[in-house]
């Protein structure tokens, strides 16, 4: 059979094969197609902020979802519960209109499915003028101007603004923004609404408009004396000012002052005249100050003296003011004695003992008198001379003991018989010649002039220090008075 003759048979077999497979013969059954997706909106949710300024924008966003939570692409219709407070456009852009709270609703198109979102409309800012102010008097007031502003800077009328002061002891503020000065210092006044605020710095610094000083003059009679001066000042509303003063004296060598309060102590330093000035806020007033020491006492030194006959004692007299300072330029003291037969005094205060007894020496300056008690005693061997011998000469190995030097025992009870009217072993002179110390060899030995009268040996005492001029004078006086055994 030729190829052409076989073609109908091949077509028929192919047709049968197709029919067989399409009827399911010889293989797996055919699967049904999947169901279409569920795009039914089951919920709507709004996201975005919860606050918007008046005239300001707030973008909200809405989303739809199926019951299984799958997102659904759809459009929404937007609405505001009160267009007088806030409006919302088709894209969910909210615009604040007036202060308050509104509910924004987004509804999925073609459904009643929606969500709500609360939005609070507030002012955008607060302005407060002036930004700072200084009040110069207590009780002085200042009106502050506070305004609520929208997002575009426009004034929002009718908004109640709250005012507060950080320190009511400095300044208070009323509900209408009137500031009143209370005391010197610094305070901050704050104006606030809807969580927005502005501040004004308030400084209260009293300025003196009147100033006076008292007393107008003061005289101080002692160095170191202090007198109080008082400054009286007031501001423009006649409120007293108690601090912030500047005090100074014209001559610090006469008087000094140091204070910033209304009362200042001026202290005298030296005699003379000066001024004290107080100033504040460009005002200044002055008082006169005179420092003139007054003698209130004459201090004697020493105040009590025991003096031997024919001996002298220098006294001093110091005229002093009430604070114990020497009065410069005080009259020289005039000296006097209560009994010239006992003690005399010269014009410079040198007292001379005349005879045994007691006398009062006085010194008078500027009518004020000081005194010193003088006791005059007779020089005696026992009370005055023997202590000198005992301490300086009547020592072991010298003029004491069983074998004293030169046979001259100067110990107590032995001295008189060993020296008075007793010839010296070293000179033609008597050891002590009563009434004549210059002819007494003992005097030459203690003065170191023994060689000049034919004597020999060394200065007495041989050990220790030489006798003082006062000790020698006592021995001379005793001899001059007769070298008595008294």
């Amino acid at each position: 059979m030729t190829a052409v003759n076989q073609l109908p048979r091949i077509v028929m077999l192919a047709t049968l094969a197709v029919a067989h497979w399409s009827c399911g013969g010889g293989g797996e059954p055919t699967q049904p197609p999947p169901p279409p997706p569920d795009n039914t909106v089951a919920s709507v949710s709004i996201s975005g902020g919860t606050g918007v300024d008046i005239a300001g924008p707030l973008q909200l966003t809405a989303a739809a979802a199926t019951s299984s939570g799958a997102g659904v692409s759809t459009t929404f219709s937007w609405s505001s519960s009160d267009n007088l407070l806030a409006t919302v456009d088709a894209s969910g852009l909210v615009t604040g209109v007036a202060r308050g709270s509104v509910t924004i609703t987004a509804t999925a198109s073609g459904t009643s499915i929606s969500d709500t979102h609360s939005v609070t409309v507030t002012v955008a800012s607060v302005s407060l003028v002036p930004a700072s102010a200084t009040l110069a008097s207590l009780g002085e007031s200042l009106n502050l101007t506070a305004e609520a502003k929208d997002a575009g800077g426009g004034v929002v009328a009718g908004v109640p603004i709250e005012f507060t002061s950080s320190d009511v002891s400095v300044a208070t503020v009323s509900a209408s923004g009137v500031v009143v000065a209370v005391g010197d210092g610094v305070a901050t006044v704050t104006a606030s609404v809807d969580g927005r605020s502005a501040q004004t710095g308030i400084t209260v610094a009293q300025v003196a408009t009147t100033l006076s000083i008292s007393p107008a003059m003061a005289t101080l009679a002692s160095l170191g004396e202090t007198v109080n001066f008082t400054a009286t000042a007031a501001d423009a509303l006649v409120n007293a000012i108690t601090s912030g003063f500047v005090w100074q004296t014209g001559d610090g060598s006469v008087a000094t002052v140091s204070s910033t309060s209304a009362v200042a102590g001026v202290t005298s330093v030296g005699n003379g005249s000066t001024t004290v000035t107080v100033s504040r806020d460009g005002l200044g007033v002055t008082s006169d100050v005179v420092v003139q020491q007054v003698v209130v006492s004459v201090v004697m030194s020493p105040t009590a003296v025991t003096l031997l006959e024919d001996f002298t004692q220098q006294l001093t007299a110091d005229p002093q003011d009430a604070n114990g300072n020497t009065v410069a330029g005080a009259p020289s003291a005039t000296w006097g004695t209560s009994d010239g037969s006992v003690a005399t005094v010269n014009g410079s205060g040198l007292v001379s003992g005349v005879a045994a007894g007691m006398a009062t020496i006085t010194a008078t300056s500027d009518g004020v008198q000081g005194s010193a008690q003088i006791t005059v005693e007779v020089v005696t061997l026992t009370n005055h001379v023997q202590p000198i011998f005992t301490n300086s000469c009547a020592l072991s190995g010298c003029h004491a003991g069983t074998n004293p030097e030169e046979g001259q025992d100067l110990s107590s009870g032995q001295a008189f018989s060993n020296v008075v009217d007793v010839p010296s072993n070293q000179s033609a002179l008597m050891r002590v010649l009563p009434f004549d110390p210059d002819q007494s060899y003992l005097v030459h030995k203690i003065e170191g002039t023994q060689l000049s009268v034919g004597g020999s040996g060394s200065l007495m005492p041989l050990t220790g220090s030489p006798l003082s001029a006062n000790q020698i004078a006592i021995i001379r006086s005793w001899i001059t008075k007769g070298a008595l055994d008294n």
Side-chain angles (χ1 to χ4, degrees):
M1 184 177 291
T2 64
V4 175
N5 291 329
Q6 288 181 348
L7 180 61
R9 175 178 171 87
I10 293 171
V11 171
M12 180 185 66
L13 290 175
T15 302
L16 290 175
V18 169
H20 173 77
W21 286 104
S22 64
C23 291
E28 294 293 329
T30 302
Q31 296 295 323
D38 182 9
N39 290 324
T40 303
V41 174
S43 65
V44 173
S45 62
I46 300 175
S47 61
T50 59
V52 64
D53 296 335
I54 297 174
L58 171 64
Q59 182 65 60
L60 299 180
T61 301
T66 66
S67 59
S68 64
V72 179
S73 176
T74 187
T75 60
F76 300 91
S77 61
W78 294 83
S79 64
S80 168
S81 64
D82 190 343
N83 287 327
L84 296 178
L85 298 181
T87 63
V88 60
D89 67 9
S91 67
L93 181 65
V94 178
T95 301
V97 176
R99 297 173 67 239
S101 295
V102 298
T103 300
I104 304 299
T105 302
T107 304
S109 297
T111 74
S112 62
I113 307 301
S114 64
D115 188 24
T116 59
H117 190 78
S118 295
V119 174
T120 300
V121 184
T122 62
V123 300
S125 63
V126 177
S127 67
L128 185 61
V129 292
S132 63
T134 298
L135 303 178
S137 300
L138 303 187
E140 184 179 353
S141 62
L142 171 68
N143 290 323
L144 299 182
T145 300
E147 292 179 325
K149 300 293 184 69
D150 62 25
V155 175
V156 180
V159 177
I161 297 176
E162 181 183 6
F163 293 91
T164 58
S165 170
S166 65
D167 191 342
V168 295
S169 68
V170 174
T172 60
V173 61
S174 71
S176 61
V178 178
V179 176
V180 177
V182 177
D184 284 355
V186 176
T188 300
V189 173
T190 301
S192 58
V193 62
D194 292 343
R196 309 294 198 269
S197 64
Q199 295 179 328
T200 292
I202 300 295
T203 299
V204 179
Q206 287 177 279
V207 174
T209 57
T210 61
L211 179 63
S212 62
I213 187 174
S214 64
M217 179 178 179
T219 299
L220 294 87
S222 302
L223 302 187
E225 182 180 354
T226 298
V227 61
N228 285 333
F229 284 82
T230 301
T232 302
D235 60 28
L237 295 180
V238 201
N239 298 290
I241 297 175
T242 60
S243 62
F245 298 94
V246 177
W247 293 86
Q248 57 187 2
T249 58
D251 188 345
S253 67
V254 175
T256 59
V257 63
S258 178
S259 177
T260 58
S261 66
V263 178
V266 175
T267 302
S268 56
V269 177
N271 290 317
S273 298
T274 187
T275 57
V276 58
T277 300
V278 61
S279 57
R280 196 184 197 281
D281 303 321
L283 302 178
V285 287
T286 299
S287 289
D288 293 322
V289 177
V290 175
V291 179
Q292 182 57 62
Q293 287 177 279
V294 174
V295 178
V296 297
S297 64
V298 175
V299 178
M300 304 285 283
S301 180
T303 57
V305 176
T306 297
L307 190 63
L308 299 178
E309 291 178 348
D310 300 329
F311 278 65
T312 61
Q313 174 68 51
Q314 181 65 56
L315 301 182
T316 60
D318 185 21
Q320 296 182 353
D321 61 26
N323 286 336
N325 302 291
T326 299
V327 177
S332 298
T334 301
W335 295 86
T337 178
S338 63
D339 191 343
S341 66
V342 174
T344 62
V345 61
N346 67 9
S348 63
L350 183 65
V351 178
S352 298
V354 177
M358 298 185 67
T360 300
I361 302 299
T362 59
T364 303
S365 176
D366 209 15
V368 180
Q369 188 178 90
S371 63
Q373 299 302 313
I374 305 297
T375 299
V376 179
E377 296 180 349
V378 176
V379 177
T380 65
L381 174 64
T382 301
N383 293 332
H384 305 105
V385 177
Q386 187 58 57
I388 299 173
F389 289 162
T390 299
N391 293 326
S392 300
C393 303
L395 305 174
S396 178
C398 193
H399 294 290
T402 57
N403 188 28
E405 287 287 331
E406 301 294 330
Q408 181 176 262
D409 189 349
L410 296 181
S411 59
S412 180
Q414 302 297 320
F416 180 80
S417 60
N418 274 265
V419 296
V420 177
D421 288 326
V422 175
S424 168
N425 294 338
Q426 297 178 350
S427 168
L429 300 180
M430 293 290 183
R431 290 175 175 169
V432 170
L433 180 64
F435 304 108
D436 195 347
D438 291 334
Q439 293 299 311
S440 298
Y441 187 65
L442 175 64
V443 172
H444 288 283
K445 284 290 285 185
I446 62 178
E447 290 182 343
T449 59
Q450 69 275 12
L451 299 181
S452 67
V453 292
S456 61
S458 303
L459 174 73
M460 287 179 59
L462 295 177
T463 61
S465 301
L467 297 185
S468 67
N470 187 65
Q471 290 173 317
I472 294 173
I474 289 173
I475 294 173
R476 275 181 163 275
S477 179
W478 172 64
I479 296 172
T480 299
K481 297 293 184 178
L484 300 176
D485 186 12
N486 53 5

